[in-house]
Amino acid sequence: MTQDIDRGRRRVLATAARSAAVAGLVPACALAQSYPSRPVRLLVPVSAGGGTDMIARVVADQLSRGMKQPWVVENQGGAGGQIASQATARAEPDGYNLMIGYVSTHGTLPAVRKVPYDPIRDFTHIAMIGGAPNVLVAQPSGPASFEDFLAEVRAHPGKASYASAGVGTITHLVFEGLKLATNTSVLHVPYRGIAPGINDMVAGQVQYAMPGLAGVLPYIRAGKLRALAVTGPDRHPLLPEVRTLKEIGIPHFEAVQWVGIMGPAHLPPAVVQDLSAAVAQVLGRKETADKLAGEGIRVMPMSQQDFSAYVAADLARWRTIVKERGLQET
């Protein structure tokens, strides 16, 4: 009879152990040791060939080597990144369906319009990769400094114009944020992408723009455009002579075109810890930093909790600008 009781206890304990595993209550170390046991899919919410795609492939290659499982990059562009974001939000939270999230998908886009996902609640913000500032640029014949820019646009409100990559893009919202911070009026001229806007700047059709660093750096180096300020927290090594807006005297204005790795909400904590640690290792390698620097990206290692807080704060910043400027789409 005692043996029957022992067998019964063992069956109960075994059932409890299986239930705990299903519920995600197994020790973190056990889950971490088993992950990943198969290829990891990394959705990129833009088409192949651009800067965000390059960043994804550099990091995925390094993670494949370090985690001993393939990281398969899959481009799923369209709708400003909404398609990939929604697919990730709805994916099984097992760590095998992740995405590259960036300032557009989880910042500026949901600040401007309703999207089919919640950028905070529907995701696990796993790891920051890095970011690059926007750069306020003018024509070489225009203002020689940020102070000259302010004097010019304040003397002639609404007469000067700036180019953006389109309504609701970061190149639009960042300039609107600058206008809000400096109480100035500059006409918005939206384009289908920032490249044609920069071309019109060079041709003298528009006076200003605030593109991302990578896209505008060749024009600055060639003397076709002049950099007046950068929006990052500190000076960028590729433009060490250009001051930040904070240095100039606009302390609460900062914008970074950040990129990170995200997954669906409710990922097992052990998997998140494993992924966060793996990305930290990748970002700590000189090889990675050098490759990302080619796109003007500086690595921004931070804890998973800090990354999640960063995304929430960034989204709140863009929503404030959108509300203050009346830019919310209905």
Side-chain angles (χ1 to χ4, degrees):
M1 183 171 180
T2 301
Q3 289 178 342
D4 290 340
I5 293 174
D6 288 341
R7 289 193 200 98
R9 284 175 177 169
R10 283 196 293 270
R11 282 196 296 270
V12 169
L13 290 172
T15 301
R18 285 193 296 271
S19 298
V22 170
L25 301 177
V26 296
C29 58
L31 276 174
Q33 288 170 0
S34 64
Y35 176 84
S37 60
R38 54 188 171 87
V40 177
R41 182 176 72 153
L42 183 65
L43 289 183
V44 182
V46 296
S47 58
T52 303
D53 177 63
M54 184 281 291
I55 294 165
R57 292 179 187 278
V58 167
V59 174
D61 177 64
Q62 295 284 336
L63 288 171
S64 295
R65 295 190 226 171
M67 302 189 84
K68 311 301 181 186
Q69 285 288 344
W71 278 61
V72 182
V73 174
E74 182 180 321
N75 296 90
Q76 198 172 82
Q82 294 182 67
I83 296 173
S85 298
Q86 186 177 27
T88 302
R90 293 178 174 179
E92 186 72 22
D94 55 10
Y96 293 96
N97 293 280
L98 309 177
M99 75 171 290
I100 291 290
Y102 69 118
V103 66
S104 176
T105 56
H106 288 72
T108 56
L109 187 67
V112 170
R113 63 177 65 104
K114 186 177 181 180
V115 294
Y117 56 88
D118 187 294
I120 305 301
R121 292 195 299 268
D122 290 346
F123 295 87
T124 302
H125 309 105
I126 297 166
M128 173 70 89
I129 295 173
N134 289 72
V135 186
L136 174 63
V137 290
Q139 297 162 350
S141 59
S145 68
F146 184 83
E147 290 79 5
D148 291 342
F149 157 77
L150 275 186
E152 177 69 22
V153 297
R154 283 174 173 167
H156 307 286
K159 291 189 176 181
S161 59
Y162 77 90
S164 84
V167 174
T169 63
I170 187 171
T171 54
H172 175 209
L173 298 192
V174 73
F175 211 112
E176 290 298 313
L178 179 63
K179 288 162 58 177
L180 190 63
T182 57
N183 192 28
T184 52
S185 176
V186 185
L187 179 66
H188 177 218
V189 183
Y191 288 81
R192 290 182 178 273
I194 195 60
I198 291 177
N199 289 336
D200 271 7
M201 270 198 75
V202 173
Q205 301 301 311
V206 289
Q207 288 73 51
Y208 305 106
M210 294 185 77
L213 174 62
V216 78
L217 188 60
Y219 295 89
I220 296 171
R221 287 176 169 170
K224 294 180 178 180
L225 294 175
R226 174 184 289 138
L228 303 180
V230 294
T231 63
D234 47 28
R235 296 195 187 194
H236 198 282
L238 296 180
L239 291 174
E241 73 286 355
V242 180
R243 295 174 296 167
T244 67
L245 290 172
K246 186 186 300 184
E247 285 181 273
I248 290 169
I250 308 176
H252 303 298
F253 188 86
E254 181 181 309
V256 174
Q257 295 193 9
W258 57 265
V259 180
I261 295 179
M262 302 182 179
H266 311 303
L267 284 180
V271 170
V272 176
Q273 291 170 11
D274 200 38
L275 284 167
S276 182
V279 174
Q281 279 191 330
V282 166
L283 298 182
R285 295 175 189 151
K286 186 177 184 299
E287 176 187 358
T288 305
D290 288 346
K291 287 182 178 179
L292 295 181
E295 287 294 321
I297 298 290
R298 282 199 288 181
V299 297
M300 296 167 59
M302 61 181 69
S303 70
Q304 187 270 325
Q305 293 81 5
D306 286 345
F307 179 42
S308 187
Y310 184 99
V311 174
D314 194 61
L315 175 62
R317 180 187 300 117
W318 296 121
R319 280 178 168 165
T320 297
I321 291 172
V322 167
K323 182 179 179 181
E324 292 290 332
R325 302 301 296 176
L327 301 172
Q328 180 72 46
E329 294 183 5
T330 57

